[in-house]
Amino acid sequence: MTSNTTRTESAYDVVLIGGGVMSATLGALLKLLQPDWSIGMFGRLDDVAKESSNAWNNAGTGHSALCELNYTPSRADGTIDISKAVGVNEAFQLSRQFWAYLVESGVIASPRAFLNPIPHMSFVWGDENCDYLRRRYEALKDHPLFSGMRFSTDPAQLAQWMPLVMEGRTAGTKLAATWIAAGTDVNFGALTHLLVNFLSGQPGFDLKLSHEVEDLKQDASGSWRLAVRDLTSNATVSVGARFVFIGAGGGALPLLQKTGIPESKGVGGFPVSGQFLRCTNPDIVSRHHAKVYGKASVGAPPMSVPHLDTRVIDGKEGLLFGPYAGFSTKFLKQGSLWDLPKSIRMDNLGAMLAVARDNMPLTRYLVQQVLQSNETRLNALRDFVPNAQAKDWELITAGQRVQVIKKDAKKGGVLQFGTEVVTGANGTVAALLGASPGASTAVSIMLTVISKCFPSELPRWDAKLREMIPSYGAPLADRPELCAQVHERTTRSLQLES
Ligand SMILES: Cc1cc2nc3c(=O)[nH]c(=O)nc-3n(C[C@H](O)[C@H](O)[C@H](O)COP(=O)(O)OP(=O)(O)OC[C@H]3O[C@@H](n4cnc5c(N)ncnc54)[C@H](O)[C@@H]3O)c2cc1C
């Protein structure tokens, strides 16, 4: 199709690029803080939440470090470092508080439409792992953010917590698990729709679907000018913005590079795709009610920890096991195979080559994952569901993650598994790169965007922020009384009593 060059001018205070949970969360926060600002949301697909935020494109774990063992490494002296776990949990508490506010204020009618209480469990086998899990439990059990956690090595107790996992298991291997009722399953796709529905009902909000942002440049006045292709008419539309959030998921890196800001130099991306096995057979689904996280195998990236999850999507329970890592050069599930090659620039080539050189175990792991047979996948599942039958499980392709590669003075380049907010041009543009701990911590990440990009507005917004998020500004871990209050209030409002 030839390009129609008709240019329509429009301008917003804020442009959100992407229709995922991150843009939707930032849009909702800003609309509540500053109702008179105009906001335009541009998404390249025909609906919001069709990439990583879609319910079946991620595992839907409300990551709060209740069960993920990679957040609690063992130190050389045998003690457990819980600092990362506390940080992830604190971040999730911000999401819980904001979501509770949205329910209390009528923005979201029913929390069960996107959030369900599902116990979180860690499950390990073998003497060494069982000993580690016991030490982890001892380190966390009295912490206010982890209260209610239980530990057991008793097969009868484990069978009560996770019958499907214990069925058909031969005696002899030492097993251990922790269980905590405070866990959640989150349908981030449904949440995105709820937030965008709220925004769509507000004055000054425009949702432009099937609109792909192709370029963005800052003009002399400091405002941004975006070239946006209307994919229905193929016309290129020119859009102005005082502030731009690049919440394009895997598509964020190429757009960040197009801004030309110095902060974009030297940054690269490494895509890792994911697959899950899904079971919807009600006989099997009814015998499991937990998110059970195990230990990652050697060389596996942290997001590849195997887990067996109860999912609640559109009111129906299903099971998910995985992820199995894959490799594609696409940056988005519905992206182009040219995404990775086109992202390589002179300024990030060195960092990318250094990462390729220094990450051989990861490369080996990915090659092994990509080449594995269905039988090998099923055997990994049988570590968790010994009686699993191939006929009950279908392989589905999840969302695409793009891990951040950054320059490093010593190593040349490093591969990061976390999330990175890149801001520049005096806080008039922010991009979100990376994907972990992901959507669960969307509120915490967007509060970081707000504090980096709108420092002069913060004093005005402070009271509203505290009304929406009572723990805003200081950790709950240091305030056990507020922690208990917040837990009680959010549990009630979000209907999380199990
Ligand atoms: C396999 C897997 C499992 C995961 N499990 C969990 C989990 O259990 N818990 C958790 O909290 N997180 C999890 N995550 C992470 C979570 O899914 C992401 O952090 C989150 O969905 C990212 O949201 P987003 O809005 O940034 O991106 P996305 O949801 O990917 O949205 C990006 C949007 O940008 C649009 N877009 C892209 N380029 C352009 C452009 N040029 N112009 C206009 N629009 C554009 C896309 O169409 C899309 O609408 C998982 C991710 C994966 C891949």
Side-chain angles (χ1 to χ4, degrees), residues 366-417:
L366 288 178
V367 170
Q368 169 256 317
Q369 286 275 300
V370 170
L371 296 180
Q372 73 185 322
S373 64
N374 284 342
E375 194 51 32
T376 313
R377 278 194 201 94
L378 204 61
N379 282 338
L381 169 64
R382 286 189 181 126
D383 283 342
F384 284 72
V385 186
N387 290 340
Q389 301 291 318
K391 65 176 174 48
D392 294 315
W393 297 82
E394 61 172 317
L395 191 64
I396 59 168
T397 301
Q400 192 75 349
R401 281 184 165 115
V402 178
Q403 309 303 147
V404 185
I405 292 177
K406 289 191 80 180
K407 275 186 176 166
D408 181 83
K410 274 197 195 138
K411 296 181 176 170
V414 285
L415 182 64
Q416 297 183 344
F417 291 101

Side-chain angles (χ1 to χ4, degrees), residues 17-23 42-45 47-54 57-63 188 211-214 247-252 255 272-276 291 293 307 309 323 332 398-401 432 434-441:
I17 306 179
V21 70
M22 297 295 177
S23 285
F42 292 83
R44 65 193 284 271
L45 300 179
D47 200 358
V48 298
K50 281 192 128 178
E51 283 285 343
S52 290
S53 301
N54 179 272
N57 282 349
N58 62 71
T61 301
H63 283 304
F188 293 109
H211 277 66
E212 179 161 348
V213 177
E214 294 186 329
L255 288 168
V272 178
S273 48
Q275 290 176 317
F276 287 112
K291 282 175 176 276
Y293 274 61
H307 49 98
D309 286 33
L332 291 160
Q400 192 75 349
R401 281 184 165 115
L432 179 65
S436 202
S440 308
T441 53

Side-chain angles (χ1 to χ4, degrees), residues 171-198:
T173 311
K174 191 168 176 192
L175 307 172
T178 55
W179 180 98
I180 182 161
T184 50
D185 180 70
V186 193
N187 179 339
F188 293 109
L191 174 62
T192 307
H193 277 278
L194 289 165
L195 295 171
V196 173
N197 284 350
F198 157 68

